[in-house]
């Protein structure tokens, strides 16, 4: 697709907003995957013939800027939003670690991404995209603006040193159940090297809990130690009881629909059709807006 001037302007605005989360232009440029000279051109607004379309696309993906027309979506303070935000803040402020395992489609990832965007020294990692040890550590380093190219041992040491020197860093590991075994072991090593200096927050669906419990029971090296470092327990937002969980999900769906649906929309109908699933709520509201 063609990267228009309007799209470039939106990406540039997102870069300005994201800059507040980094201590320097150079580290921000590293996190965006661009050179210091390219970053400087964008900062000055003189990007014509200076920034490639590949760079624009990469930065848009990193910053969550939508390239095609999509419906605007407002954050709603659902119970999931409040619970996860409070846990993330506690982990970041106190250098603690925790694991959240809950059902899909309740807003876990949306909340975590929003938190990382609005808090300095907090990064969001989608582990489904970086399943191996090498990719995971390089990705964490890049998100913090630490060099992610060169020898792995150097990247690891530079990352550890940086996490130990900056104020209250936080690493959010979403879809953590997708990580390969060596990546789990490396997380334990990173935790050991940054104990009380860095907060860690692991998220996933119920499969993550099953994976950890199974490997702890089988005495697989590293899993019991990892669970211990992350608090020896699994947090959960939704109720265990099926009936109570359905009430919870529908109440959440209603909160989200009220914030995002056009005036006069039948909220009860949206909640009924979606059965509490937030992705379906989005789809139903999108249908309504297209018909207007």
């Amino acid at each position: 697709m063609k990267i228009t001037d309007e799209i470039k302007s939106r990406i540039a605005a997102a870069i300005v907003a994201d800059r507040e989360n980094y201590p320097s232009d150079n580290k921000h440029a590293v996190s965006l995957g661009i050179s210091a000279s390219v970053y400087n051109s964008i900062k000055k607004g003189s990007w014509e013939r200076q920034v490639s379309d590949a760079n624009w696309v990469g930065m848009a993906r990193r910053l969550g800027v939508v390239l095609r027309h999509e419906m605007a979506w407002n954050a709603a303070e659902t119970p999931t939003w409040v619970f996860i935000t409070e846990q993330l803040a506690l982990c970041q402020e106190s250098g603690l670690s925790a694991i959240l395992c809950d059902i899909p489609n309740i807003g876990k990832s949306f909340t975590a991404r929003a938190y990382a965007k609005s808090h300095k020294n907090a990064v969001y990692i989608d582990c489904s995209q970086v399943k191996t040890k090498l990719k995971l550590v390089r990705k964490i380093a890049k998100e913090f603006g630490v060099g992610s190219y060169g020898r792995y041992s150097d990247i690891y040491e530079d990352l550890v040193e940086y996490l130990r020197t900056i104020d209250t860093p936080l690493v959010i590991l979403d879809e953590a159940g997708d990580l390969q075994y060596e990546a789990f072991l490396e997380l334990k090593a990173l935790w050991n090297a940054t104990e009380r200096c860095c907060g860690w927050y692991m998220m996933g669906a119920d499969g993550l809990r099953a994976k950890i419990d199974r490997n702890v029971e089988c005495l697989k090296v590293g899993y019991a130690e990892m669970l211990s470092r992350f608090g020896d327990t699994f947090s959960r937002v939704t109720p265990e009881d099926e009936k109570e969980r359905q009430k919870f999900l529908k109440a959440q769906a209603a909160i989200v629909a009220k914030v995002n649906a056009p005036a006069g929309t039948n909220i009860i109908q949206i909640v009924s059709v979606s059965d509490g699933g937030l992705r379906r709520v989005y789809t139903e509201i999108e249908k309504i807006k297209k018909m207007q």
Side-chain angles (χ1 to χ4, degrees), residues 93-289:
E93 292 165 6
S94 304
L96 301 176
S97 303
I99 304 177
L100 174 74
C101 294
D102 214 321
I103 62 174
N105 202 12
I106 60 171
K108 300 189 298 293
S109 298
F110 183 88
T111 303
R113 287 193 187 98
Y115 184 93
K117 273 189 175 183
S118 59
H119 288 77
K120 187 176 182 179
N121 294 335
V123 302
Y124 171 88
I125 307 296
D126 180 356
C127 296
S128 68
Q129 303 300 312
V130 287
K131 300 175 184 179
T132 68
K133 177 184 77 173
L134 296 178
K135 288 183 177 180
L136 175 65
V137 172
R138 288 181 189 276
K139 178 64 173 176
I140 296 173
K142 181 180 177 182
E143 288 298 310
F144 276 109
V146 178
S148 58
Y149 297 102
R151 291 196 311 169
Y152 175 77
S153 58
D154 292 337
I155 296 167
Y156 181 93
E157 291 175 6
D158 289 346
L159 173 60
V160 168
E161 184 64 26
Y162 187 68
L163 292 177
R164 291 180 61 85
T165 56
I166 62 175
D167 292 332
T168 61
L170 173 68
V171 181
I172 306 169
L173 301 162
D174 197 8
E175 306 286 2
D178 288 353
L179 291 174
Q180 294 180 3
Y181 177 53
E182 284 191 347
F184 265 99
L185 291 182
E186 201 73 339
L187 281 178
K188 186 184 75 170
L190 281 170
W191 192 99
N192 289 344
T194 61
E195 183 176 1
R196 295 296 178 182
C197 298
C198 178
W200 297 84
Y201 195 78
M202 193 179 293
M203 299 197 315
D206 291 333
L208 171 61
R209 178 171 185 167
K211 179 177 183 177
I212 294 175
D213 283 342
R214 182 174 63 253
N215 283 290
V216 169
E217 290 175 7
C218 294
L219 302 179
K220 192 161 186 176
V221 174
Y223 277 89
E225 297 94 323
M226 173 64 74
L227 182 58
S228 174
R229 285 159 174 74
F230 277 75
D232 269 325
T233 188
F234 299 95
S235 300
R236 185 183 180 96
V237 184
T238 61
E240 295 278 2
D241 180 76
E242 177 65 25
K243 289 184 178 179
E244 291 301 315
R245 183 162 61 249
Q246 283 302 312
K247 290 180 183 177
F248 176 94
L249 295 176
K250 289 183 177 181
Q252 250 198 179
I255 294 171
V256 173
K258 287 176 182 177
V259 171
N260 289 282
T265 298
N266 187 335
I267 301 298
I268 295 177
Q269 183 178 5
I270 290 179
V271 172
S272 178
V273 172
S274 69
D275 199 31
L278 298 186
R279 292 187 181 91
R280 185 62 184 275
V281 170
Y282 181 96
T283 300
E284 293 303 314
I285 292 176
E286 188 175 41
K287 289 179 183 177
I288 293 170
K289 289 189 174 182

Side-chain angles (χ1 to χ4, degrees), residues 35-48 50-51:
S35 67
S37 61
V38 169
Y39 185 93
N40 195 43
S41 296
I42 296 172
K43 186 177 178 180
K44 292 179 178 179
S46 57
W47 55 64
E48 192 66 31
Q50 299 294 317
V51 186

Side-chain angles (χ1 to χ4, degrees), residues 26-40:
N26 283 343
K27 290 203 175 296
H28 194 209
V30 171
S31 75
L32 294 172
I34 58 177
S35 67
S37 61
V38 169
Y39 185 93
N40 195 43

